[in-house]
Amino acid sequence: MKYKHKAVVLGTNYYIGLSVVRNLGRKGVSVTTVDYEDHNYGVSKYVRERLIAPHYKRQERELVEFLINYAKKQAHKPVLFPTADLYVEFMEDNYDALKEYYLWPNDKKGLQRKLMDKQSLLEFTEPLGIKTPEIIPMDDENLVYRVNNELGYPCIIKPKDSMPFVNKYRSKVFRVHDEEELKEKIDMCRRDGQEVFVQKIIAGPESNCYSFDVYMDKEGTAVSYLTTSKIRQWPINFGASTYAKQEYIPELYDICVPLFKSVGYRGFAEVELKRDIRNDTIYLVEVNVRFVNFTELHCHMGMNTPMMYFLDSIGEEYSGAKILENREVYWKYLYEDISAIKAYLSTGQMTLGDIFSTFRWKKVPSTWAADDPKPAWTFFKWAITHKFTK
């Protein structure tokens, strides 16, 4: 292999992990995947080692020991990659133990957790005058009164940790229309052990949902970045992108880069934002500090975020594109986009004309790759079986 250090990728249960694996392997990095069970996306030809390990939540201490024992057998420290929020939390919770044996760019213990958390994020955004949607924690003693008088209805209930919430309810948020529904949903979340908060809705169509994806170096420079806008998402209105496009939105740089500079952030991050149609204000909605849905889009456009992360970790030079124009590049996750299209049509939010107007033959797919077809075929077989089983 071209590099002495291995890449250890935590999680291949989603196409994000697959994109990380591919775009490291294509550059000559030896990739090891670590999962708690076999997954459809772990069969990439770019995986050199496929390890089944203890569960990151149920067997946290055992997983730490597993990773340390693996690293001890390597001639050079491996680079550790998180592909989901819960893996970021795992790395933060075991920062000192893992940092002794693994490399990754973040050198500020606890910073990533603070950026991920909507409440603690405010201590960084408020001094900079960055607008964020008003939120009220579920344990606020005046929750109902404050929601009635400060947020109004409809509003949304969002989780602090998306993955367990989505696994439990098959939805990323709850839309709440009145006080009775608010109490009902909050009580349910408490019973189920879900930590949530209530948030104001930013009004506007899907096309007003943006992302600013950036790689920050140790000097606080935005080495590489691009911006995108959503076309469709699933679940609709409050979900993850299923169809999006690269679109240059210059205002986002001046909102996001000062935030990362102010906290000394190093590594890859994505900021999700939305423009409110009522006042034309762009609100910062969320910060992701792990690899994201658009990883394949990044790499397609000359912004190989996994490789920048890897080279940064091992102390080698790296660079990436800064996309300052519209290049008409589209990205799609076909499996969930089919469900999204049906829902938009059934609710009257989109027409067939709207769907066809954004159709492009040439797209960056989330899963398919001509040089690595097996993961797509494995997932396709699972999807077909899953549909018939349901």
Side-chain angles (χ1 to χ4, degrees):
M1 300 301 289
K2 185 176 178 180
Y3 299 95
K4 297 177 181 178
H5 300 266
K6 292 182 178 180
V8 175
V9 179
L10 298 176
T12 53
N13 62 318
Y14 204 47
Y15 59 81
I16 295 172
L18 174 62
S19 296
V20 172
V21 167
R22 282 174 171 165
N23 288 289
L24 291 168
R26 287 165 178 157
K27 294 294 184 180
V29 178
S30 177
V31 180
T32 298
T33 60
V34 176
D35 256 312
Y36 54 89
E37 61 184 30
D38 282 329
H39 291 295
N40 296 312
Y41 296 108
V43 298
S44 168
K45 75 175 188 181
Y46 293 109
V47 175
R48 292 283 173 166
E49 297 175 287
R50 190 179 182 188
L51 306 179
I52 302 300
H55 193 276
Y56 57 87
K57 205 74 171 175
R58 297 191 296 268
Q59 302 164 291
E60 183 175 348
R61 184 179 298 177
E62 291 87 343
L63 178 55
V64 173
E65 291 175 1
F66 179 94
L67 290 170
I68 289 174
N69 289 336
Y70 176 81
K72 284 180 176 178
K73 299 173 186 175
Q74 311 308 315
H76 302 273
K77 277 188 176 184
V79 181
L80 197 57
F81 287 76
T83 63
D85 289 342
L86 291 175
Y87 281 119
V88 175
E89 292 179 0
F90 167 78
M91 289 167 64
E92 286 278 58
D93 289 341
N94 301 282
Y95 186 93
D96 294 328
L98 293 172
K99 266 291 187 181
E100 187 175 345
Y101 297 96
Y102 285 88
L103 303 171
W104 67 88
N106 175 43
D107 53 7
K108 290 183 169 59
K109 182 180 178 180
L111 176 60
Q112 291 186 318
R113 183 185 289 277
K114 281 190 169 185
L115 289 169
M116 290 166 59
D117 185 273
K118 312 298 186 299
Q119 194 68 40
S120 59
L121 177 63
L122 297 177
E123 71 181 73
F124 304 131
T125 56
E126 287 181 347
L128 297 171
I130 297 172
K131 299 288 187 182
T132 59
E134 295 100 298
I135 63 173
I136 303 174
M138 67 183 291
D139 55 2
D140 189 295
E141 60 181 18
N142 298 312
L143 175 65
V144 175
Y145 175 84
R146 290 189 61 194
V147 171
N148 289 345
N149 291 275
E150 296 175 24
L151 303 187
Y153 300 98
C155 56
I156 54 174
I157 295 174
K158 291 185 71 173
K160 289 192 72 173
D161 288 329
S162 294
M163 189 180 295
F165 187 91
V166 172
N167 288 343
K168 180 69 177 177
Y169 304 123
R170 308 310 303 166
S171 179
K172 287 195 73 173
V173 303
F174 291 141
R175 190 181 180 103
V176 174
H177 299 89
D178 54 43
E179 182 178 317
E180 183 180 352
E181 192 174 4
L182 173 69
K183 292 177 179 177
E184 176 192 328
K185 295 293 192 215
I186 290 293
D187 287 344
M188 182 177 69
C189 290
R190 286 199 177 106
R191 287 196 306 270
D192 294 337
Q194 300 286 337
E195 193 171 357
V196 299
F197 56 89
V198 188
Q199 180 177 298
K200 176 183 177 180
I201 292 177
I202 305 302
E206 316 296 54
S207 56
N208 279 27
C209 297
Y210 310 138
S211 73
F212 180 84
D213 294 22
V214 63
Y215 200 94
M216 302 292 297
D217 70 10
K218 62 182 178 181
E219 308 299 331
T221 301
V223 174
S224 180
Y225 54 89
L226 61 76
T227 56
T228 67
S229 63
K230 285 184 182 179
I231 298 173
R232 291 188 290 273
Q233 56 188 329
W234 181 253
I236 63 172
N237 307 132
F238 300 104
S241 294
T242 59
Y243 193 36
K245 66 175 179 178
Q246 176 272 322
E247 179 182 0
Y248 179 48
I249 306 157
E251 306 104 296
L252 304 190
Y253 182 97
D254 292 332
I255 296 172
C256 303
V257 172
L259 169 64
F260 294 124
K261 282 179 177 287
S262 72
V263 299
Y265 184 81
R266 177 181 175 185
F268 170 73
E270 178 184 81
V271 182
E272 296 182 28
L273 312 100
K274 187 170 183 180
R275 189 190 299 272
D276 196 315
I277 57 172
R278 295 168 296 195
N279 55 18
D280 203 42
T281 299
I282 297 177
Y283 289 83
L284 188 156
V285 176
E286 188 169 84
V287 176
N288 295 312
V289 292
R290 41 77 183 170
F291 292 91
V292 296
N293 303 49
F294 297 144
T295 300
E296 200 64 47
L297 175 68
H298 299 158
C299 299
H300 177 83
M301 302 197 70
M303 183 183 171
N304 191 330
T305 47
M307 202 61 203
M308 284 188 275
Y309 180 104
F310 178 82
L311 294 173
D312 190 12
S313 298
I314 66 175
E316 294 196 16
E317 291 187 3
Y318 59 93
S319 62
K322 297 176 181 177
I323 312 298
L324 306 177
E325 60 186 358
N326 293 337
R327 297 189 182 175
E328 285 296 309
V329 178
Y330 289 68
W331 171 93
K332 191 170 192 174
Y333 178 35
L334 178 61
Y335 178 70
E336 287 190 342
D337 195 47
I338 293 171
S339 299
I341 289 173
K342 290 178 180 177
Y344 284 119
L345 292 174
S346 66
T347 58
Q349 294 184 48
M350 291 185 183
T351 65
L352 281 174
D354 296 328
I355 303 297
F356 287 124
S357 69
T358 59
F359 179 80
R360 298 292 184 278
W361 283 109
K362 190 174 182 180
K363 297 177 286 288
V364 178
S366 65
T367 308
W368 169 256
D371 67 328
D372 186 32
K374 191 173 181 181
W377 286 117
T378 303
F379 178 74
F380 176 75
K381 286 186 287 186
W382 171 87
I384 294 297
T385 304
H386 184 65
K387 286 289 186 186
F388 279 117
T389 302
K390 287 178 68 177

